Amino acid sequence: MSDDPDLEDLKAQTSQGDRLDSEAEKMDRQDLVEDIVDELEAIDAGDQQKTVSVWDGQLAAFIRALEDNPEHLNAVGHGLQERLDIEGGDVDRSAILRLALRVGFQEAAPEQFEAVREAVRKQATKGL
């Protein structure tokens, strides 16, 4: 342990800030979870659509080419299912896009994507 008072002060400030930051992050995450639950309920009530649209020519070309080549479509779909630990099943255009978005969010924003899982669990048990 160091006898340097400045170093000890810095350590104390840093550790205290970490706890405060951690609490703020938990609150922010809970806000995100609640917002997702609200959106899920709006979808279930028919007030919001389930669809998501993107404008991307290269992605559109890739998806159409996969549809024209079912063996590649299945390979991509099953690869995405494996990444998400989902049992293999039939894949189509919608499944490929849905799975690809999930893999991307899971990889790029795992904490925020976990909020989706938490919101789904919360909504599923809301009436119990």
Side-chain angles (χ1 to χ4, degrees):
M1 198 142 198
S2 172
D3 292 330
D4 185 354
D6 291 332
L7 183 58
E8 293 304 317
D9 287 342
L10 183 59
K11 285 181 184 177
Q13 289 172 3
T14 303
S15 66
Q16 187 177 32
D18 287 346
R19 282 191 295 262
L20 293 175
D21 291 344
S22 196
E23 285 301 313
E25 287 173 10
K26 284 180 188 175
M27 289 176 59
D28 286 346
R29 180 173 167 163
Q30 285 307 309
D31 289 344
L32 180 59
V33 169
E34 290 303 321
D35 288 345
I36 295 168
V37 169
D38 291 345
E39 290 297 327
L40 288 168
E41 289 173 352
I43 289 168
D44 286 348
D47 297 332
Q48 291 287 354
Q49 294 184 0
K50 290 182 180 182
T51 58
V52 175
S53 300
V54 296
W55 290 84
D56 187 313
Q58 294 171 354
L59 186 57
F62 177 58
I63 295 299
R64 285 190 202 110
L66 288 176
E67 288 179 306
D68 290 342
N69 296 277
E71 68 280 0
H72 291 289
L73 179 82
N74 285 321
V76 170
H78 293 141
L80 290 166
Q81 288 171 334
E82 283 179 30
R83 290 291 299 265
L84 292 167
D85 292 325
I86 295 173
E87 265 189 53
D90 292 337
V91 292
D92 59 11
R93 173 191 198 116
S94 181
I96 293 282
L97 293 169
R98 186 173 52 252
L99 294 167
L101 281 170
R102 289 179 182 177
V103 167
F105 287 132
Q106 183 173 289
E107 293 292 319
E111 287 191 31
Q112 290 83 357
F113 191 67
E114 184 58 34
V116 175
R117 291 185 181 112
E118 188 176 332
V120 168
R121 285 190 299 267
K122 190 171 190 170
Q123 184 200 26
T125 60
K126 209 169 199 176
L128 299 179

